[in-house]
Amino acid sequence: MSKVGVFVCHCGRNIAHTVDIKKVLETIKDYEDVVHVEDNMYMCSEPGQAVIKEAIKKHDLDRVVVAACSKDMHEDTFRIVTKEAGLNQYLTEMANIREQCSWVHEDKKESTEKAIKIIGSTIERVKRNQALEPYHIPVTRKALVIGGGIAGIQAALDIADAGYQVTLVEKDSTIGGKMAQLAETFPTLDCSQCILTPKMVAVGRHPNIRLLTNSEVENVDGYVGSFKVKIKKKPRYVIEEKCTICDDCVHVCPVIVHDEYNAGLSPRKAIYIAFPQAVPATYIIDPNTCLGIDPLICAKCKEVCDPKAIDFDMHPEILDEEFGAIVVATGFSAYPYEEIGEYGYGNIHNVISGLEFERLLSANGPTQGVIRRPSDGSIPKTVVFIHCAGSRDPAKHLPYCSKICCMYATKHALQYKHLVHDGVALNFYIDVRTAGKDYEEFYKRATEEESVIYVRGKVSEVIQDGEKLLIRGVNTLTSESIELHADMVVLATGLLPSKGTQEISSILKLSCDSKGFVKEAHPKLKPVETAISGVFVAGTASGPKDIPETVAQASGAAAKAQIILSSDFLERDPVIAEIDDLTCGICHTCIHVCPYGAISYDEGQNKVLVNEALCEGCGSCAAACPSGSIELRNSTYESISASIKALLKA
Amino acid sequence: MKKINLAIALGATCAGCDVAILDLNEKILEVFDLVEFKFWPTAMDFKLDDLEKLKDKEVDVGIYHGAIRTTEDVKIAKILRQKSKVVVAFGACANFGGIPSLANMPYEQNMFDLVYKDVPSMDNPENTVPLTSVKIDDVELTLPGILENADALEEIIDVDYFVPGCPPMVPLIEQVIEVLKVFAKKGELPPKGAVIAGTKTLCDECGRTKPEKISFKEFISPQEVEEMDPDLCLLPQGIICLGPATRAGCDGLCTKMNVGCRGCLGPTDKVKDHGLKMISAITSLLEVDEEEEMTEEQLDKIVEKIPDPLGTFYRFTYGKSLIYKLHSEEKVI
């Protein structure tokens, strides 16, 4: 015999205007095992909670039903209330008579009947609930940050500054990411490198940060609190501690390839350093282009290297590490310019990408900050900037707005005008989106003070016309077609998730949106959390964003990671799946169905096991289990069928 | 040792269950040492009168195989219950309704019309259908009436033990003999309601290897498989196998022959609706990784490859299924 207390919430008029609360109370009080019924205007309010607490004590209740809103809203609230009143929190259930009843019906009589049924069904369910205790799982108090761009750098620094150990993994030879390639940043025009490199240096020097560049995360097992991570450290072929960055090796290296840092606009050797401020400050040999990792073929660099820093015998190392929390900051890649065939990128020399233009603007770029045409090195007098190149075009390209392109194209035009005073900068736009602090002012400055021309319209094609480029388009404000000649075209393309973002989301089993960006646990309220507990996301890995937002997210993700690292143990909900070995035939169906990888087969015990730290209690396995051997705690077959029975009762 | 009085009665059956008992080969001699046959019309010259004439509870163990299809089956089952101390439901038909219960599926057509007139292979120009009574020269000849549905034995009488299978395999019948031996020697019986077969599912004893994860993209028939892997689980090879949902006990008789389990041992103790559980498992496994990107039409196309879904998933257990109970308006829960 249970002693059930039922508490019915009016939710102001939300429930009460369609459900006759008085009738509900009168009916429910006569139900078997119900010893107390009570209503309140707002059960979730402090006085409402007090009502429940008092009643539990006064009537010695051993089961509680709160008939109010969705479990998503207030299950935690009422569990805590129950616990504070001295009753096990898993002996409380919520009956949803708002979203599933009052909000979707108009007829008061019928919705009252339905509310009574929902409550009756929940009473049957709660009577069968078992008292459960949360699990405690140990926490490895170390964080892994994946990706060494500005987001990863900021997250690593914040966690390390809070006193926790951080490993920062970056696949390139240096940290810095895309921000290190930018010339100046909008809207303040501070030099990107100048504000970034101090942070890079701080990472390199921080006693709590272990920096692994030229490394990749190969595999992640485990769960929040103890992720078991395999990191592949690729060989640099240069011993970091010995290299003095004297550049003797560079002079003798016979291999010349495109320099990725300068977006391919300048050459580099097979042994190189990405840029002078690279962290770690050491050379690296690119094994794909080096003539001889086999030293018999070339080895010129090794011959001239005084400190004997070059070692051709380095091999990939696999590091097995354990972490309590993971921050994914794997960034973006630009939309492939060559996909936009009508703009001729790749065929027409003087059609360049936004990133290439950044490098041309940079003082440490291939032209030392002078804008020159790739075709002949002349200074372009008319430059056309095409906004939304490949964006907001659901038919052919990206359907979405990448948020930053309007601003960076505006910045490009403005900087071009700073460098070429008599030049003409012309921006084709669909809408100019300047939603950010001081962004509108920046745009005004470009148009009003720097005479950058903005034309509302889309460029339909760019073709080579002698030395010049012929641009055809339409002015959508005047409906006139436009034909003009320019010396250079810069494409402001949108953002895609980087290859690294795609790889890491499959390794971590993160869910992604249709574009491949990592999905947040909640788009508004959990912007840096992912569906996997203990894995956080920051920056452009979860969608296009500018630097301030990226940095804010990185700090947010770092703070979230610190919550996990701040204690030796984590509490986990015990409402998880249980397997009955007596009937389980080990068919492996559950292993495949589990979205969290929480179920595994243990060969030694010849059993299928549920990992209580990974199981989220979704119930997919229980539904799929063909032998009926899996049940979710407090959602057993018996309890589900009892609640259905109560619902069907006339 | 006193011999056990045994009666083997039958209803709507193919008598394969009787043959299965004879399949014990030389082991059947042990049976003859152990039991005194009071009734076994298939094998010996018994009439229903012989059973009726016995005193109540004179039979120690009454075995019944076949479904309850006719008024005669009901009558026999009730007599057997009256005369037996314990009653054993033997075989898939007595346990779950078996193949005869597939006829319970609601058709627009009258069953007699379908079977005796409309089946393409039927040549019945006079439209003769079975009648319960017919007068020939003033003599009334009668046949038992057919019931609306074919049911499991449990629906008609109280059943003590269950031996599933179509027919129950020799190892299971040997288990039954062991039970009888203990009963003869010590008078002890298993707890009422016991199922004499495995508790786990077929996967436990099938012997084929499972990949760490099972998933498959399509259903194919065994004859469509270009090269069957004789050691790999059948499901990832695209062959429907009810093994994961079916009670163990047959030692993988079919799966060892590269044939998917058809489910004749029924579900485990935990499951009420055998077919439904298998459907939910199979649809959970199907293309689970790509499912989100697939359209309903694409998924339908795969599922359409299942020949006769009802017959595939409920071949032996339709008589116990929830859908049958729903359309027959019986109380489900």
Side-chain angles (χ1 to χ4, degrees), chain A residues 580-589 591-593 601 622-628 637 644-645 648, chain B residues 199-201 203-204 210-215 244-245 268 270-271 277-278 280-281 284-285 288-289 333:
Chain A
D580 186 344
D581 297 323
L582 190 69
T583 48
C584 170
I586 314 181
C587 69
H588 291 222
T589 302
I591 300 175
H592 195 67
V593 167
Y601 170 59
C625 175
S627 63
Y637 283 106
I644 293 175
K645 232 188 263 183
L648 297 179
Chain B
T199 62
K200 296 180 186 243
T201 56
C203 298
D204 187 51
K210 300 266 179 186
E212 179 58 30
K213 283 191 163 189
I214 302 176
S215 98
T268 64
K270 293 280 178 65
V271 175
K277 254 318 195 181
M278 194 61 212
S280 102
S284 300
L285 290 173
V288 71
D289 294 326
I333 27 179

Side-chain angles (χ1 to χ4, degrees), chain A residues 336-354:
Chain A
Y337 310 94
E338 49 284 351
E339 293 280 315
I340 319 162
E342 61 270 33
Y343 295 162
Y345 181 88
N347 294 323
I348 307 172
H349 282 314
N350 296 328
V351 175
I352 67 168
S353 71

